[in-house]
Amino acid sequence: MAVQKSFAMAAMLCVCLQPATATPPVLERGDESWIKEALEVVLAEASVSHCSLTFMMDKTSSYFYEAVRFRMPATKTGGDVVLDVADDGSTDVNLTMTQVVAQARKMRLMSWCTLVVVFSDNPTFLSVFAEMADKGRLMVWETRLLVITRLPLSNLQDLLQNYWTFSMMNTMFLKLNTSSGENHCQIYGHMPYGPTGSHVAQLASLNSGYILVYLSDRPLFPEKYNNFHGMKVNLTWIPLTPYWMVTKRPGPNGTEITTFSGRDYWIMENIALIHNFSLNPLPYTGWDPVLKSLRTREAFLWPVPLPILPHMLELYDISFFLERSTLAFSMAKPSTKPSWETVYRPFQIDVWGLVVASVVTVYIVLLMMNTSNKDKGPGAWLVMKQVLGTLLDEAIPGELPQRSNTRVVLTAWLIFSFVVGTVYRSNLTASLTIPKYPPRIETFSGLVDANAKQVHHAFFNVAPSLPV
């Protein structure tokens, strides 16, 4: 099922689930109309125009087909997908729910935001969904979950309090009564932090005129973490300077006092001050216990610099960023060459090679021309002094050659020596006046070409700072 983000979509996926409890009482045909009206009111209030809808349904619910019929037109939302969990007992419940959650997660990843609506009167179905949604990373805080059920209030409270997906995520329960009338629908949510601690709160009810009546100042899908009401929040950490530093000093009665500092600790302190909670850093015993404390939710926070790399996105979901930074590397400033190397620095190696080749060629030519002359010309040593001397801006030693062709060669060599000498002296003066530093590495490909292999391992064994 390939669906692109930002345009409407609709699909049906049928999988199987073993029956776990007896089928709940079947509603009368006339009751389906008010259930339809109630669900339309709540969904219209809870959903956002550009968010997609994902319906997960249990056929043991008598209002299943009505729920499919009333779903909002895809043009009013970001699209919708219906996941029909059938009841023929042919597949294991955990395997089946894993497949359904995986499809729902694909829908969530392709949408700007998602509202997941689950229909079921089966507590086993809902408990398995909660476990698989947590394990399959279906929920992030921006994803809203609405559970519609006719379970008794005691069952509903057990589900809200005992499963992370229902208790800590952005979840509401819509409880339908078996008959219409005043307050025939109630909406509940679990508030993990409050003046009296963790509790299940009734957020609203639906009266006989299909009007939502709010029972508190909380809206639908209330924010659970704006105020922790002075609770202690467990926090794990790693001693990574300068982000998190530990100082130990002697205390009274032979005790040891541990204090924390560093950039990440100060950020956490300010967040705790704003949201009214206190930090409880857990003892650091190594990398593995840090990750385990997050998986088991012994710790709620881990402030850490996190590079968002592709292989990490396969393991973790990122809710939001405190700050963004680019991937960077640092290297020592390139140093200049030793002073004795300034003699040949004005020319590159290939230029020096051409100069040496020219000296050898001119020397051989002049020597051969003098040898072919009937009159004895200058010797080999004198020819060498003529070639090197003129190159070094010295006077021509000995007598000038008598033959015209020898004079032409020597004149050409004088011009060549003048040009080379002038360029050399100019470049030498410039290099001595303004030092030229070697080029430094500016790109990642340049870093690879430089065979830089040492990387700090700490930045590749990290997890999100907010596991919820």
Side-chain angles (χ1 to χ4, degrees):
M1 182 177 57
V3 188
Q4 292 185 352
K5 184 184 289 187
S6 77
F7 66 83
M9 60 204 80
M12 179 76 73
L13 175 69
C14 294
V15 293
C16 302
L17 179 69
Q18 289 181 341
T21 59
T23 303
V26 178
L27 295 178
E28 298 294 334
R29 188 67 184 173
D31 292 332
E32 293 178 351
S33 60
W34 70 261
I35 291 179
K36 175 183 175 182
E37 294 292 337
L39 298 183
E40 286 181 341
V41 169
V42 174
L43 282 180
E45 186 73 17
S47 62
V48 182
S49 59
H50 63 279
C51 290
S52 60
L53 296 177
T54 300
F55 295 92
M56 300 180 64
M57 301 181 182
D58 176 8
K59 269 191 175 179
T60 60
S61 302
S62 60
Y63 46 82
F64 169 76
Y65 292 107
E66 284 296 326
V68 174
R69 287 171 52 192
F70 84 79
R71 71 176 188 271
M72 297 180 179
T75 54
K76 294 184 179 180
T77 67
D80 62 80
V81 59
V82 179
L83 304 179
D84 171 16
V85 183
D87 183 17
D88 61 4
S90 61
T91 311
D92 179 73
V93 60
N94 290 334
L95 177 61
T96 301
M97 189 60 72
T98 300
Q99 296 169 345
V100 172
V101 169
Q103 292 295 330
R105 185 172 185 270
K106 289 181 180 179
M107 180 69 175
R108 193 258 292 175
L109 293 175
M110 289 187 292
S111 307
W112 295 112
C113 59
T114 304
L115 171 62
V116 180
V117 184
V118 178
F119 297 83
S120 182
D121 297 322
N122 188 332
T124 302
F125 176 92
L126 294 177
S127 62
V128 171
F129 165 77
E131 293 175 355
M132 294 300 104
D134 188 12
K135 184 177 179 180
R137 297 156 55 205
L138 171 62
M139 302 292 294
V140 293
W141 183 253
E142 289 78 7
T143 304
R144 295 178 172 184
L145 172 61
L146 177 64
V147 179
I148 301 174
T149 183
R150 292 180 296 150
L151 287 173
L153 183 58
S154 58
N155 292 48
L156 186 147
Q157 289 175 332
D158 290 340
L159 291 169
L160 279 170
Q161 292 174 339
N162 296 328
Y163 294 94
W164 180 275
T165 301
F166 298 147
S167 61
M168 304 298 285
M169 302 305 293
N170 202 359
T171 303
M172 294 192 319
F173 270 65
L174 173 61
K175 182 184 180 304
L176 301 176
N177 294 331
T178 55
S179 61
S180 60
E182 191 70 23
N183 298 329
H184 56 274
C185 298
Q186 294 89 35
I187 299 176
Y188 295 90
H190 181 265
M191 306 305 295
Y193 302 98
T196 58
S198 175
H199 64 285
V200 175
Q202 183 176 350
L203 305 175
S205 63
L206 196 68
N207 61 23
S208 57
Y210 303 110
I211 299 176
L212 275 176
V213 178
Y214 291 92
L215 303 182
S216 65
D217 57 350
R218 297 189 183 101
L220 299 184
F221 296 105
E223 176 59 59
K224 298 181 179 181
Y225 304 107
N226 278 342
N227 191 346
F228 287 73
H229 297 277
M231 300 291 292
K232 271 192 174 183
V233 175
N234 289 344
L235 168 140
T236 189
W237 52 278
I238 55 174
L240 183 62
T241 304
Y243 302 101
W244 194 284
M245 297 178 287
V246 184
T247 304
K248 296 183 178 181
R249 53 186 176 85
N253 302 324
T255 60
E256 188 178 60
I257 299 177
T258 302
T259 57
F260 300 96
S261 62
R263 183 171 172 273
D264 285 350
Y265 176 76
W266 294 325
I267 290 176
M268 288 293 103
E269 266 196 333
N270 281 276
I271 293 176
L273 180 64
I274 294 172
H275 293 283
N276 190 20
F277 66 87
S278 58
L279 299 176
N280 182 33
L282 301 177
Y284 175 75
T285 56
W287 280 91
D288 292 339
V290 166
L291 296 175
K292 182 179 179 181
S293 65
L294 290 172
R295 289 194 299 266
T296 59
R297 299 197 171 98
E298 179 187 1
F300 191 74
L301 297 171
W302 181 18
V304 63
L306 176 68
I308 303 177
L309 303 175
H311 72 277
M312 301 192 68
L313 294 177
E314 297 176 0
L315 301 175
Y316 306 110
D317 284 301
I318 309 301
S319 298
F320 62 90
F321 306 92
L322 292 180
E323 62 178 350
R324 297 173 183 264
S325 61
T326 57
L327 185 63
F329 57 88
S330 60
M331 300 185 68
K333 182 179 179 181
S335 58
T336 58
K337 299 292 183 181
S339 57
W340 59 270
E341 295 184 16
T342 57
V343 176
Y344 68 83
R345 282 179 56 196
F347 287 158
Q348 296 181 358
I349 298 298
D350 52 352
V351 175
W352 280 117
L354 292 175
V355 171
V356 172
S358 301
V359 170
V360 174
T361 302
V362 172
Y363 170 75
I364 294 173
V365 170
L366 290 177
L367 191 61
M368 293 177 61
M369 294 177 68
N370 291 334
T371 304
S372 62
N373 190 5
K374 295 180 180 180
D375 299 331
K376 186 178 180 181
W381 177 245
L382 185 60
V383 173
M384 176 62 70
K385 290 196 296 184
Q386 287 178 349
V387 174
L388 292 180
T390 52
L391 181 64
L392 299 177
D393 200 19
E394 297 291 338
I396 300 176
E399 297 180 358
L400 293 176
Q402 300 296 324
R403 298 183 63 184
S404 299
N405 53 356
T406 306
R407 290 189 176 190
V408 170
V409 173
L410 187 59
T411 302
W413 177 246
L414 287 172
I415 297 173
F416 174 83
S417 301
F418 173 76
V419 174
V420 171
T422 302
V423 173
Y424 176 82
R425 287 190 293 272
S426 301
N427 289 347
L428 180 62
T429 303
S431 63
L432 294 176
T433 306
I434 304 176
K436 182 181 179 182
Y437 291 95
R440 60 183 180 181
I441 299 174
E442 299 285 353
T443 62
F444 189 75
S445 60
L447 187 65
V448 174
D449 294 338
N451 295 322
K453 298 179 180 180
Q454 185 175 359
V455 181
H456 201 292
H457 72 280
F459 294 97
F460 292 89
N461 296 315
V462 290
S465 57
L466 292 178
V468 297

